[in-house]
Amino acid sequence: MANLSLHQLTKSYGTTEVLHGISLDVADGEFVVLVGPSGCGKSTTLRMIAGLEETTSGIIEIGGREVNNLEPKERDIAMVFQNYAIYPHMSVKKNIAFGLRSSKLPKADKEKRIQEVAGILDMVPLLDRKPSQLSGGQRQRVAIGRAMVRDPAVFLFDEPLSNLDAQLRTQMRLEIKKLHQRVGNTIIFVTHDQVEAMTMADRIVIMKDGYIQQVGTPEEVFHKPANTFVARFIGAPSMNLLEGRVSGGAVSLGAGPEVRVPALRKSGGDVLLGVRPDDLHPGSGNPIVTGTVSLREPLGSETLIYVDTALGEITAKADGRTPPEVGATVELGAEPQNLHVFDKSSGEALT
Amino acid sequence: MVAAPDVPRASAEALLRSEPAKRPRNMGQILRWLLLFIGGILMVMPIAYMISTSLKWPHEVYNVNLIPEEPTIENYTYVLEDGRFYWWFVNSIIIATITTICNLLFDSLVGYTLCKFRFPGRTIVFIAILSTLMIPTEMLVIPWYLMSQSFGWLDSYWGIMFPGLMTAFGTFLMKQFFESVPDDFIEAARIDGLNELQIWWTVAMPLVKPALAALAIFVFLGNWTAFLWPLIVTNSVDMYTIPVGLSGFGDEADVAWELIMTGAAISTIPTLVVFLIFQRFIIRGVVMAGLKG
């Protein structure tokens, strides 16, 4: 087990820079998720930590030791790939044992370790099978087993769940989280799925276009997004962003009422008022905007309503039992502490 | 009572209607079988004729009958008891086996390197290797001969084998097959602590077994039947391979076809064995089993 730190990490392919000076400190035993849309540089960062991609500049440290010039095998890491990458010509047991090939443990200890890992992953009855006889979830568990058996300082997961179906993904998500609680190794997990990021991470690193947008706990990135990108990326459905102007301590939205926002760090200029659908309800106090319901999506306990307003289409949540009819006029409101204000040009948070 | 016969009549009509629709399919089937049958005859005839001739007495060789009038195994006894044939057989086995093993190793090493490593000049090297496919053997024979001469390899195993220890075709074939091995496997092995040679041997090679089997069959057959180069580079009868030796059966006045055919019939046995051994490795879809399909 060890901590990991990245200092001003950059990566260029030819003249194109794809990572622009990433810095990140991961504590010992922490579960950190790198999340972002495709092409944001999250997988490149992971591959650089693994040593599969060369670093253009910057320093990678694992356990206080600079590893930039070390081979992958010397970095004390293990990686689980999106495509599992378990060897089809070897049995499950041989696949797991493969991780121990370069280890100097005595044979009996190796065998003990394999049985231990197979036990943790519930794979003991499958040890003699070939990968072709396993389901997708079982194959991914073998891949995790091969990584676990070496007890590395840092586990790297490169979108390991994206090939699984929805139900299995939820199950594996739980298993990986339980596994982390049990073994306690440092984990860097890459995904493009914000739900995975929110549910698994101790801390989330949100990336876009080769820059880190925000680093924080799931609660922080959800409740205090640093900019409009994070605000819209985290949370489903996405946060509503309404154009307005700041004057004094309030935001005016076109023809609508002035909305008072606490702790606003700007006294004038164009802004975007952000409010999550979960915080925006018809008929609540502190009204913000009025419009006509154009579509309803019943979710059971709640109903998602799409409302046409003078400021564009807005998503809000209504009660599941008595939602407003399509075509009804509703007044949507939110508590002042649930409102977010962002600078219109830079997108930075102002609350 | 009046309405009852309608039912069978209707179904009989339906049957009649369906008849013309079925016929073209049957005709097509018959035509296909006929074509395959003709193809089969064309393939089998030379082999049947070879075996038939090997069972004939010399005076009957020029009769075109497939069944010998007085079948004999005299030719087999003669060829097998003739010391020369034994040596040619051994020479051919040694040469074809060593050449096959070398091709499997070298072609796959070069193919793997060209496929999985990025280095300056990679494409040029690959094109250079491919372009040698365009040079006919006849053009290479003289340079090969001069090289063998200066190395002192004339009339030796080395002389016969060295031009074929690695082939451009094999390199190309292996490179293309290694393309189907996902990089994830190689990277996973790299993280697991294997060096590049170990990755090639323990991870990549087992995943391209079908290609190795195909290459083994091609190379073995190619060398087993090679004629021109072994004829040129060998002088002593003891160094001949089977094709070279067989061509010399008989004397200046006459060609002993019955002996040549007997030798040829015997010499097909190892190629059959090689084919039977390697064909079971040609199983498709091995590579994909460890990945999400």
Side-chain angles (χ1 to χ4, degrees), chain B residues 51 54-55 72-81 262 265-266:
Chain B
I51 293 168
S54 72
L55 297 172
T72 172
I73 55 160
E74 193 65 26
N75 297 323
Y76 285 87
T77 330
Y78 179 84
V79 167
L80 289 175
E81 281 177 0
T262 307
I266 298 172

Side-chain angles (χ1 to χ4, degrees), chain A residues 35-66:
Chain A
V35 66
S38 38
C40 71
K42 56 191 191 299
S43 280
T44 310
T45 309
L46 194 78
R47 292 170 57 81
M48 283 160 77
I49 297 170
L52 297 172
E53 296 273 355
E54 277 187 29
T55 309
T56 307
S57 72
I59 295 168
I60 303 170
E61 281 179 12
I62 296 175
R65 175 178 67 134
E66 188 186 322

Side-chain angles (χ1 to χ4, degrees), chain B residues 76-155:
Chain B
Y76 285 87
T77 330
Y78 179 84
V79 167
L80 289 175
E81 281 177 0
D82 183 312
R84 295 174 300 169
F85 185 80
Y86 169 77
W87 274 114
W88 302 338
F89 196 87
V90 171
N91 291 344
S92 280
I93 289 272
I94 291 174
I95 287 158
T97 307
I98 294 181
T99 314
T100 304
I101 292 170
C102 287
N103 265 281
L104 292 182
L105 288 178
F106 299 148
D107 293 353
S108 60
L109 257 182
V110 177
Y112 178 75
T113 308
L114 287 173
C115 176
K116 295 296 180 194
F117 290 87
R118 309 262 169 265
F119 54 90
R122 184 172 79 121
T123 318
I124 296 171
V125 171
F126 184 54
I127 291 173
I129 291 175
L130 271 192
S131 58
T132 61
L133 281 174
M134 288 186 277
I135 305 169
T137 313
E138 288 78 1
M139 252 182 77
L140 293 167
V141 160
I142 294 172
W144 285 347
Y145 189 86
L146 295 175
M147 279 167 78
S148 312
Q149 198 175 32
S150 42
F151 288 143
W153 287 348
L154 287 181
D155 208 22

Side-chain angles (χ1 to χ4, degrees), chain B:
Chain B
M1 284 303 284
V2 179
D6 279 357
V7 179
R9 198 164 61 215
S11 64
E13 274 170 14
L15 267 175
L16 277 172
R17 269 203 308 276
S18 69
E19 193 69 1
K22 266 188 171 176
R23 195 169 289 153
R25 205 170 61 198
N26 287 341
M27 279 303 290
Q29 197 97 29
I30 291 168
L31 265 175
R32 271 202 292 278
W33 285 348
L34 199 70
L35 270 174
L36 286 174
F37 181 72
I38 294 170
I41 293 282
L42 284 175
M43 296 296 286
V44 169
M45 267 310 279
I47 297 167
Y49 200 69
M50 171 182 81
I51 293 168
S52 152
T53 309
S54 72
L55 297 172
K56 286 175 182 174
W57 290 102
H59 63 84
E60 207 194 325
V61 163
Y62 293 99
N63 294 351
V64 206
N65 55 337
L66 253 187
I67 314 286
E69 281 163 18
E70 304 165 54
T72 172
I73 55 160
E74 193 65 26
N75 297 323
Y76 285 87
T77 330
Y78 179 84
V79 167
L80 289 175
E81 281 177 0
D82 183 312
R84 295 174 300 169
F85 185 80
Y86 169 77
W87 274 114
W88 302 338
F89 196 87
V90 171
N91 291 344
S92 280
I93 289 272
I94 291 174
I95 287 158
T97 307
I98 294 181
T99 314
T100 304
I101 292 170
C102 287
N103 265 281
L104 292 182
L105 288 178
F106 299 148
D107 293 353
S108 60
L109 257 182
V110 177
Y112 178 75
T113 308
L114 287 173
C115 176
K116 295 296 180 194
F117 290 87
R118 309 262 169 265
F119 54 90
R122 184 172 79 121
T123 318
I124 296 171
V125 171
F126 184 54
I127 291 173
I129 291 175
L130 271 192
S131 58
T132 61
L133 281 174
M134 288 186 277
I135 305 169
T137 313
E138 288 78 1
M139 252 182 77
L140 293 167
V141 160
I142 294 172
W144 285 347
Y145 189 86
L146 295 175
M147 279 167 78
S148 312
Q149 198 175 32
S150 42
F151 288 143
W153 287 348
L154 287 181
D155 208 22
S156 74
Y157 285 147
W158 275 119
I160 303 173
M161 287 188 302
F162 88 92
L165 291 180
M166 217 195 107
T167 57
F169 168 74
T171 307
F172 172 71
L173 184 84
M174 293 317 298
K175 178 187 179 289
Q176 294 314 105
F177 264 84
F178 280 122
E179 302 276 3
S180 70
V181 175
D183 289 346
D184 280 359
F185 283 143
I186 291 159
E187 289 177 346
R190 219 166 265 163
I191 289 176
D192 282 335
L194 269 67
N195 65 37
E196 299 302 327
L197 214 56
Q198 287 172 321
I199 295 173
W200 165 74
W201 183 250
T202 51
V203 175
M205 286 290 263
L207 295 177
V208 293
K209 264 188 200 160
L212 291 172
L215 183 63
I217 292 172
F218 289 144
V219 175
F220 192 90
L221 292 188
N223 279 280
W224 189 257
T225 55
F227 178 70
L228 183 65
W229 175 244
L231 175 74
I232 290 170
V233 80
T234 52
N235 296 324
S236 52
V237 176
D238 281 354
M239 284 311 296
Y240 284 177
T241 57
I242 290 179
V244 178
L246 288 185
S247 71
F249 259 138
D251 51 40
E252 281 162 14
D254 195 11
V255 181
W257 285 113
E258 71 287 358
L259 296 182
I260 292 179
M261 290 302 166
T262 307
I266 298 172
S267 75
T268 54
I269 294 168
T271 59
L272 279 178
V273 170
V274 166
F275 185 76
L276 289 176
I277 291 174
F278 284 103
Q279 70 159 1
R280 69 193 178 93
F281 292 118
I282 309 181
I283 304 160
R284 295 184 65 81
V286 176
V287 171
M288 294 316 290
L291 290 168
K292 172 76 183 175

